[in-house]
Amino acid sequence: MFVYITSGTYDFLKEIKSKHKKENLLLMENLEKTVLLQETEGKKTVFASPRKFEVVDQRGELPERGFVVLDNIPVREEDRPGFEHRYKKRADAIEKEPGFIGLRILRPLNSDTYVILTVWQNESSSSSWKNHFSSSADKSTNTWQDLNKNIFSGPPYVNQYKLGLRE
């Protein structure tokens, strides 16, 4: 499975979504940015120049409504197998969280930045998971700060979006 992500104006991306009704397209926005995500079995995309990813692991659904968190994590090439293994192990725990809807661990095909995409019923569900995970993490095994910091090729960053805000 593959995921493609592109950005643009709300109206432009809404038009793309309307033209490709048979595709699995999710329109997401926040106060600063609008993005369109395509999830597909094949390597073909409807976008001209998207960010490209292969799905490494998936849980749940990607619905039309909800709150989306994209954890963007740049990882050095040689450290990708260990990074993926560690995140796959963590995926089981998130499924039991109240408000969880879906998860995709996305391996980059044209960059070094993985995306851990989670979908929640609402922002408070996401915040509860984050607080729960932070407070219950075993410092020796569950936090990235304890790993060799050299696995990262840059600082991680987070994007948050709402699905179906204007639809």
Side-chain angles (χ1 to χ4, degrees), residues 1-166:
M1 179 148 330
F2 297 89
V3 167
Y4 302 96
I5 301 173
T6 194
S7 59
T9 65
Y10 178 85
D11 292 333
F12 177 71
L13 297 178
K14 177 81 172 165
E15 187 176 317
I16 292 173
K17 184 175 178 176
S18 295
K19 285 181 182 177
H20 301 280
K21 293 183 188 287
K22 292 183 180 181
E23 297 292 331
N24 186 12
L25 298 171
L26 297 177
L27 188 59
M28 305 181 283
E29 65 181 329
N30 60 29
L31 293 174
E32 300 163 356
K33 192 173 188 179
T34 305
V35 298
L36 191 57
L37 178 145
Q38 178 186 16
E39 184 175 52
T40 180
E41 291 291 333
K43 289 190 173 186
K44 273 195 127 176
T45 179
V46 298
F47 306 143
S49 56
R51 291 174 61 194
K52 301 173 184 178
F53 302 92
E54 183 176 2
V55 177
V56 174
D57 196 6
Q58 65 182 36
R59 310 293 166 98
E61 302 299 319
L62 296 183
E64 292 287 324
R65 302 226 182 280
F67 184 76
V68 177
V69 178
L70 301 177
D71 288 294
N72 299 268
I73 307 169
V75 177
R76 293 183 337 171
E77 182 75 31
E78 61 270 21
D79 294 304
R80 287 180 173 197
F83 175 83
E84 289 178 19
H85 174 73
R86 188 172 177 98
Y87 252 98
K88 284 179 186 179
K89 284 177 35 181
R90 288 176 47 181
D92 292 333
I94 199 170
E95 285 184 287
K96 298 175 184 121
E97 282 300 309
F100 170 80
I101 298 173
L103 164 80
R104 300 294 184 273
I105 299 174
L106 306 176
R107 176 189 299 134
L109 296 178
N110 57 356
S111 76
D112 66 350
T113 303
Y114 279 79
V115 174
I116 311 304
L117 180 152
T118 53
V119 183
W120 302 90
Q121 288 178 349
N122 51 45
E123 189 172 358
S124 64
S125 297
S126 171
S127 296
S128 293
W129 160 251
K130 183 179 173 185
N131 292 337
H132 169 76
F133 182 77
S134 296
S135 65
S136 66
D138 175 339
K139 299 295 183 205
S140 65
T141 60
N142 290 334
T143 61
W144 289 105
Q145 291 82 3
D146 293 324
L147 289 177
N148 180 347
K149 292 182 182 180
N150 291 331
I151 74 164
F152 303 111
S153 56
Y157 60 96
V158 176
N159 299 110
Q160 299 178 338
Y161 299 96
K162 292 189 178 178
L163 285 166
L165 192 62
R166 294 193 224 177

